[in-house]
Amino acid sequence: MRAAVMYGAGDVRVENRPDPKIVRAADAVVRVVAACVCGSDLWPYRSMPAVDTGRPMGHEFLGVVEETGADVTGLNAGDLVVAPFTYSDNTCDYCAKGLHTSCRNGGRYGFDGVDGGQGEAVRVPYADGTLVKLPVAADSALLPSLLALSDVMTTGHHGAVTAGVGRGDTVLVVGDGAVGLCAVIAARRLGAERIVLAGRHEARTGLGREFGATDVVPERGEEGIARIRELTGGGADKVIEAVGTRQSLDTALGAVRDGGTISRLGFPQYEEGPIGPAPFRRNITLTGGVSPARAYIGQLLPDVLDGTITPGRVFDRAFPLHQAPDAYRAMADREVLKALVTP
Amino acid sequence: MRAAVMYGAGDVRVENRPDPKIVRAADAVVRVVAACVCGSDLWPYRSMPAVDTGRPMGHEFLGVVEETGADVTGLNAGDLVVAPFTYSDNTCDYCAKGLHTSCRNGGRYGFDGVDGGQGEAVRVPYADGTLVKLPVAADSALLPSLLALSDVMTTGHHGAVTAGVGRGDTVLVVGDGAVGLCAVIAARRLGAERIVLAGRHEARTGLGREFGATDVVPERGEEGIARIRELTGGGADKVIEAVGTRQSLDTALGAVRDGGTISRLGFPQYEEGPIGPAPFRRNITLTGGVSPARAYIGQLLPDVLDGTITPGRVFDRAFPLHQAPDAYRAMADREVLKALVTP
């Protein structure tokens, strides 16, 4: 099969790889119908040292089950399924608590002999625990929004849930990437009344407004913080940080109200952060983390199916698989918000 | 009047200071009946640069109202009152939310012309908003436990509340100082079933067991973490960090279960901390901060009055005011857990 493989910063190649086969009895092989490039794929795209053996890329995909192992009982060949961005057994103590990203048997696509999602097919471990069956046809117009459940929409939702967003709240979302925009959808869905979106890319913040943002703050740094504090009457109680840089964390800390909560969704591009006396005196809570997408797909699926939420609108360009390198380049250059990749 | 004043590390003096008088109409003057030395007083005791104008010390006290300003309506001369460790108006938006430590008119004893608590009398700003009347006589045997409401007990409670401790929980308390021991009381009071106390001072951990700790872990560092993880079947869901050093934070991070919460009560002795990819992947929440004691005194008072909780047992030695320097020395040398100071 053909699949996208990264060999270092800026070096994504589409090449032949072995066709996936059932290895363990809990596996399924899924023929990919739609995949995409994640904002987090851009971190290695910008910084990965050159390697001889490339890393299969992609962790967001949906597709059709082609074959199942002997222990798989909940899926059949022909089922259309979406894959959360990590696989998990859905039976261990962590999964039972809804923290599938800490699954005792879980793992990541593209590592440990498991295929990446940006390819023609994927062997999915713990298929029963991982994959969620979709009650639509493989040519449904809902496919982009269903694909968004594999990561960006469930991640945005994780931010809103862990920040404790509820009816009538004022919420700040830092970052106008696909996750930030999905966090706007999620905050609105949970009842937030005022949603301030910090971002400066007009096409994206425009979509953010359509998703429910009531205010957009393009200014950065101290100027942006001052503007947000003014708009929110002294700071936001709930902040969703959807970038991952120290600068965006500083914006979140500057704009959150005393006693407020910052939920981090952007993968931290730092090892240490400012958690000394200042936020301690202000009783700031820092929460969030890698979203247990599997736990949320079932909650969000009905709203996607009936059109209440349309997170698939974050996909603003589709690339055939052989153009995956272009998809990376276009996203890295911010020409494209989120790239759909179809085999 | 006589009062304790700090002039630098290791240099506490008891000296004459002006008798407090009503300055603003919302003030009250309180004649101190009992005060104490806080673990946080030991940080400047160990590190404060020498100064010419000393800093009045102490922020935990109870006493009898001597005089009230024209605007004070809820208190009368002769009332026995306890002071939370910061003053607050109890009317601003933060106070209305129960975050009195962020009060827009609030402040700290010993700063901005306000007396410290380790003295014969204190001018208390916003007396109606700050002081809580106690329905006992000034010679009540409950005085030590009521005094504990000014800081250590309400701080321990803040840790248990923000960590989300509930019925049946397993809780780790890091630190066997007075706050850690009060956190044990608070965790038990909120229904924790298993309470692991990390501390190595046997007299203190012994008291911790009487307060409700089910297990004591004296080992530190990696050894301590391994022991806690073993005792808790892989880590504690709720951790209360009651020390404030990087080492104790590292213990908390090592011993918390994925998806768990660390509530910090110990004033951070660091500016930056480890909030990078590792805790992000594990979905660790960091919460807590300076306790809004004023918000909690009313909740805890009935349990002190009926003897359900006895936080006053943390006071293991009383010093007359003129021996305040000895009280500091004894606490700094860990001869004394918590020193009561009586004018």
Side-chain angles (χ1 to χ4, degrees):
Chain A
M1 69 159 179
R2 304 288 287 169
V5 180
M6 189 178 288
Y7 283 86
D11 185 4
V12 174
R13 308 175 198 169
V14 177
E15 57 185 28
N16 288 324
R17 292 183 51 81
D19 285 326
K21 289 183 173 29
I22 301 295
V23 176
R24 296 184 178 197
D27 290 348
V29 171
V30 174
R31 176 77 30 193
V32 175
V33 172
C36 48
V37 180
C38 182
S40 72
D41 291 334
L42 299 181
W43 299 118
Y45 187 73
R46 291 193 181 105
S47 63
M48 181 172 156
V51 289
D52 290 332
T53 306
R55 182 175 133 194
M57 295 301 293
H59 50 256
E60 301 160 68
F61 60 98
L62 54 69
V64 175
V65 174
E66 197 168 68
E67 195 187 349
T68 55
D71 289 354
V72 176
T73 59
L75 299 165
N76 293 299
D79 287 345
L80 184 71
V81 291
V82 62
F85 68 93
T86 61
Y87 57 85
S88 53
D89 62 21
N90 204 26
T91 56
C92 77
D93 53 341
Y94 281 121
C95 288
K97 284 188 179 178
L99 195 66
H100 296 73
T101 42
S102 291
C103 174
R104 296 192 185 274
N105 291 303
R108 299 162 67 195
Y109 299 104
F111 293 88
D112 306 318
V114 175
D115 311 286
Q118 293 159 8
E120 292 183 300
V122 178
R123 175 179 71 87
V124 178
Y126 300 95
D128 271 334
T130 302
L131 300 168
V132 178
K133 211 172 148 172
L134 298 171
V136 299
D139 61 352
S140 165
L142 293 172
L143 250 50
S145 285
L146 292 165
L147 175 60
L149 293 176
S150 74
D151 188 341
V152 282
M153 184 61 225
T154 38
T155 294
H157 181 66
H158 187 53
V161 168
T162 53
V165 174
R167 199 149 299 281
D169 277 349
T170 292
V171 178
L172 165 68
V173 175
V174 181
D176 59 8
V179 167
L181 298 180
C182 287
V184 170
I185 297 176
R188 182 178 169 114
R189 182 177 169 278
L190 291 176
E193 202 159 87
R194 185 141 192 204
I195 302 172
V196 180
L197 175 61
R200 61 196 321 171
H201 191 296
E202 283 185 18
R204 299 176 185 194
T205 56
L207 184 55
R209 283 189 192 273
E210 292 179 42
F211 282 161
T214 52
D215 305 87
V216 169
V217 175
E219 297 88 352
R220 288 194 177 177
E222 288 306 319
E223 202 186 347
I225 290 170
R227 181 87 186 103
I228 296 161
R229 294 186 74 90
E230 187 193 326
L231 278 170
T232 56
D237 282 321
K238 318 279 168 78
V239 179
I240 302 173
E241 192 286 280
V243 182
T245 60
R246 262 302 286 267
Q247 185 185 23
S248 60
L249 179 62
D250 288 342
T251 298
L253 281 164
V256 70
R257 193 186 294 264
D258 286 15
T261 299
I262 297 169
S263 175
R264 295 186 298 167
L265 299 178
F267 197 81
Q269 301 304 304
Y270 47 82
E271 289 290 335
E272 302 255 319
I275 54 168
F280 181 85
R281 283 190 204 280
R282 297 176 59 213
N283 272 278
I284 305 303
T285 293
L286 200 60
T287 187
V290 179
S291 171
R294 180 62 177 79
Y296 297 132
I297 293 176
Q299 294 171 37
L300 298 172
L301 187 54
D303 283 12
V304 170
L305 292 174
D306 71 10
T308 304
I309 61 174
T310 56
R313 295 181 65 197
V314 298
F315 295 107
D316 54 348
R317 201 180 303 171
F319 295 80
L321 177 58
H322 72 271
Q323 288 178 4
D326 297 320
Y328 276 81
R329 193 162 37 241
M331 273 183 65
D333 293 347
R334 291 176 71 86
E335 280 170 29
V336 165
L337 169 54
K338 192 163 176 76
L340 201 71
V341 176
T342 50
Chain B
M1 68 159 178
R2 305 287 289 169
V5 180
M6 188 178 287
Y7 282 86
D11 185 4
V12 174
R13 307 175 200 170
V14 177
E15 56 186 29
N16 287 326
R17 290 184 53 82
D19 285 327
K21 288 183 174 30
I22 300 296
V23 175
R24 297 184 178 197
D27 290 348
V29 171
V30 174
R31 175 77 30 192
V32 176
V33 172
C36 49
V37 180
C38 182
S40 71
D41 291 334
L42 299 182
W43 299 119
Y45 186 74
R46 291 193 181 108
S47 64
M48 180 174 157
V51 289
D52 289 332
T53 306
R55 180 174 133 195
M57 295 300 294
H59 50 256
E60 301 160 68
F61 61 98
L62 56 70
V64 175
V65 173
E66 199 168 66
E67 195 187 349
T68 56
D71 288 353
V72 176
T73 58
L75 299 165
N76 292 299
D79 287 345
L80 184 71
V81 291
V82 63
F85 68 92
T86 61
Y87 57 85
S88 52
D89 61 21
N90 204 28
T91 57
C92 76
D93 53 342
Y94 282 122
C95 287
K97 284 187 178 178
L99 195 66
H100 296 72
T101 43
S102 290
C103 173
R104 297 194 185 270
N105 291 301
R108 299 162 68 195
Y109 300 104
F111 293 88
D112 305 317
V114 176
D115 311 286
Q118 294 159 10
E120 291 181 300
V122 178
R123 176 178 71 87
V124 178
Y126 299 95
D128 270 334
T130 303
L131 299 168
V132 178
K133 210 170 148 175
L134 298 171
V136 298
D139 61 352
S140 164
L142 293 172
L143 250 50
S145 286
L146 293 166
L147 175 59
L149 293 176
S150 74
D151 188 342
V152 282
M153 184 61 225
T154 39
T155 294
H157 181 66
H158 186 54
V161 168
T162 53
V165 173
R167 200 149 300 282
D169 277 349
T170 292
V171 179
L172 167 66
V173 175
V174 181
D176 59 7
V179 167
L181 298 180
C182 287
V184 170
I185 296 176
R188 182 178 170 116
R189 182 176 168 280
L190 291 176
E193 202 159 86
R194 185 141 192 204
I195 303 172
V196 180
L197 175 61
R200 62 198 317 173
H201 191 297
E202 285 186 16
R204 300 176 184 192
T205 56
L207 184 55
R209 283 190 191 273
E210 292 179 41
F211 281 161
T214 51
D215 305 86
V216 169
V217 174
E219 296 88 354
R220 288 193 179 177
E222 288 306 318
E223 201 186 349
I225 290 169
R227 181 87 186 103
I228 295 162
R229 294 186 74 89
E230 188 192 324
L231 278 170
T232 56
D237 283 320
K238 319 279 167 81
V239 179
I240 301 173
E241 192 286 282
V243 181
T245 60
R246 264 300 287 266
Q247 185 184 25
S248 60
L249 179 62
D250 290 341
T251 297
L253 281 163
V256 70
R257 192 186 296 263
D258 286 16
T261 299
I262 298 170
S263 176
R264 295 186 298 166
L265 299 179
F267 196 81
Q269 302 304 303
Y270 47 82
E271 289 290 334
E272 301 256 320
I275 55 168
F280 181 86
R281 282 189 205 281
R282 298 175 59 213
N283 272 280
I284 304 303
T285 293
L286 200 60
T287 187
V290 178
S291 170
R294 180 63 177 76
Y296 297 131
I297 293 177
Q299 294 171 36
L300 298 171
L301 187 55
D303 283 11
V304 170
L305 292 174
D306 71 10
T308 304
I309 61 173
T310 56
R313 294 181 67 196
V314 298
F315 295 108
D316 53 349
R317 202 181 302 171
F319 296 79
L321 177 58
H322 72 272
Q323 287 178 6
D326 297 320
Y328 275 80
R329 192 160 39 239
M331 273 182 66
D333 292 348
R334 289 177 72 86
E335 279 170 30
V336 165
L337 169 54
K338 192 163 175 76
L340 201 72
V341 176
T342 50

